Amino acid sequence: MAEIAASDVGTVYVTPAHLARMEYDARRLNATPHRPHHSILAGRHASRLRGRGLNFEEIRAYVPGDDLRHLDWKASLRVGRALVRSYTEERDRPALFVVDQRISMFYGTRRAMKSVVAAEVAALAAWMSFQAGDRAGAVLFDDSAIHSIRAHRSRTRVQAVLGALARCNQALRADSPVRPNAGQLDAALRAALHLATHDYLVCIVSDFFGADEQTLQLVRELATHNDVVAVLVFDPSARAVPARGKIVVTEGELQVELDFARKAIREPLGAMFEQRLARTEDLVRRCGVPMLTIDTEQPTLLQVARMLGHFAQRRS
């Protein structure tokens, strides 16, 4: 069921310019492994995140102090002296952003639509990857199409990702004839499996509408050889329906106005929203990957900064 709030919505769409400006916001965020202990990602590089790999550089003579684990026994036996394999740290870590822009995301009762928040989270993460010297790619999906963009390390590629994301976002309409496609999330994850071959950082940004046991299996497959982070975007009405205000619920042709001031409407609707969110949170947790929850009420930058254990300064 497609939903859109009729009032109290601050941001309905994003533009390429808005997402481009988030490069400056990304600079405020500390993406290094040295995070405060209260960060939700604290300790990730030392434990569950694989971090950057090592590239083989050369075989050279052993020098006292070298790591004995790097001794090349076969080469040493051939030449009659100790040789070690030398490695350099891999400077590149590809990141893939799977971003939901389905009609279920075109909903918001506070500052912004869920679709807007998802786009902002992806933009921040893409710029952070670029600033770290990493490759960035994306799988962007709506109810009818999936757009795959291979990871590449360049400003042009980040701008291409954000431009495609803005186009998907601006195509959302309350009167869209496209029907909600619950299975599109799984299709996007399959597309991600083709792109994220090994040691990627995969960030899934969605409301996880339609997620089921198959979704859980696909996320686990992604996490077998990659690091996966799930970002669950939700509207505060999923936890507590406001005591007043109205929203318009539509599937494209039929529209119904719901008055939250009426108890007979507010309480059943609130229970339904809360149960749906609880089921979604439970399923994502069962995937065994870190889950970040981002709402549509607070500024996206501040929420991401808080998740990383930092508090970004507001723009003057």
Side-chain angles (χ1 to χ4, degrees):
M1 180 171 62
E3 302 162 313
I4 180 171
S7 61
D8 297 325
V9 176
T11 307
V12 180
Y13 296 110
V14 297
T15 64
H18 171 65
L19 299 181
R21 285 194 298 270
M22 299 195 81
E23 177 180 3
Y24 302 101
D25 293 330
R27 290 176 183 171
R28 308 178 188 184
L29 303 178
N30 184 356
T32 68
H34 307 292
R35 299 187 180 94
H37 66 86
H38 57 276
S39 166
I40 195 168
L41 298 181
R44 299 278 297 148
H45 282 254
S47 54
R48 295 167 64 191
L49 273 188
R50 291 173 177 81
R52 304 177 192 275
L54 296 175
N55 289 326
F56 171 73
E57 188 174 62
E58 63 177 346
I59 295 179
R60 59 171 175 78
Y62 172 79
V63 176
D66 283 339
D67 192 335
L68 294 178
R69 292 173 297 180
H70 293 164
L71 278 172
D72 189 319
W73 297 104
K74 290 184 178 179
S76 299
L77 289 173
R78 283 198 303 268
V79 301
R81 57 192 175 92
L83 299 176
V84 296
R85 298 176 68 87
S86 176
Y87 296 87
T88 56
E89 183 182 13
E90 184 182 358
R91 302 297 297 176
D92 172 79
R93 180 196 174 96
L96 187 70
F97 306 103
V98 183
V99 190
D100 191 346
Q101 291 291 293
R102 292 177 294 173
I103 196 66
S104 67
M105 299 287 287
F106 198 51
Y107 174 77
T109 62
R110 297 294 194 275
R111 178 187 66 88
M113 297 294 196
K114 291 191 292 183
S115 53
V116 166
V117 173
E120 291 177 336
V121 169
L124 282 171
W127 284 122
M128 289 170 68
S129 294
F130 172 72
Q131 290 162 13
D134 294 335
R135 288 178 284 158
V139 174
L140 314 175
F141 66 103
D142 54 27
D143 293 281
S144 59
I146 296 174
H147 309 278
S148 298
I149 303 175
R150 289 191 175 277
H152 187 69
R153 184 175 59 250
S154 72
R155 177 179 294 276
T156 301
R157 181 51 52 90
V158 174
Q159 291 171 336
V161 168
L162 301 185
L165 180 53
R167 288 192 293 274
C168 289
N169 179 264
Q170 293 172 10
L172 290 169
R173 293 287 185 276
D175 58 355
S176 171
V178 177
R179 304 290 294 182
N181 188 349
Q184 196 75 334
L185 173 60
D186 288 354
L189 293 176
R190 293 189 188 96
L193 278 167
H194 287 293
L195 294 179
T197 53
H198 205 285
D199 288 339
Y200 272 67
L201 174 61
V202 181
C203 183
I204 307 167
V205 191
S206 174
D207 64 356
F208 288 86
F209 166 68
D212 55 17
E213 295 299 320
Q214 180 61 37
T215 310
L216 186 149
Q217 180 59 34
L218 288 168
V219 173
R220 286 177 174 171
E221 286 182 35
L222 269 172
T224 301
H225 298 295
N226 304 285
D227 292 309
V228 180
V229 176
V231 180
L232 173 61
V233 181
F234 72 97
D235 188 81
S237 63
R239 298 201 189 279
V241 172
R244 62 178 183 276
K246 298 178 180 180
I247 65 171
V248 174
V249 180
T250 177
E251 285 187 329
E253 296 181 0
L254 300 177
Q255 292 188 352
V256 177
E257 184 179 81
L258 301 177
D259 187 354
F260 287 147
R262 297 178 57 186
K263 185 176 180 180
I265 292 178
R266 182 176 68 253
E267 291 187 350
L269 196 62
M272 181 188 73
F273 283 178
E274 188 173 358
Q275 290 171 6
R276 179 189 297 176
L277 180 62
R279 287 196 299 269
T280 301
E281 289 178 323
D282 178 67
L283 187 140
V284 175
R285 288 193 181 97
R286 287 168 54 204
C287 293
V289 302
M291 181 183 72
L292 314 180
T293 56
I294 304 287
D295 65 49
T296 61
E297 182 175 21
Q298 303 173 74
T300 304
L301 173 63
L302 296 183
Q303 293 188 78
V304 173
R306 191 177 300 119
M307 294 292 181
L308 294 173
H310 298 271
F311 295 89
Q313 297 177 350
R314 293 180 180 273
R315 183 181 296 154
S316 57

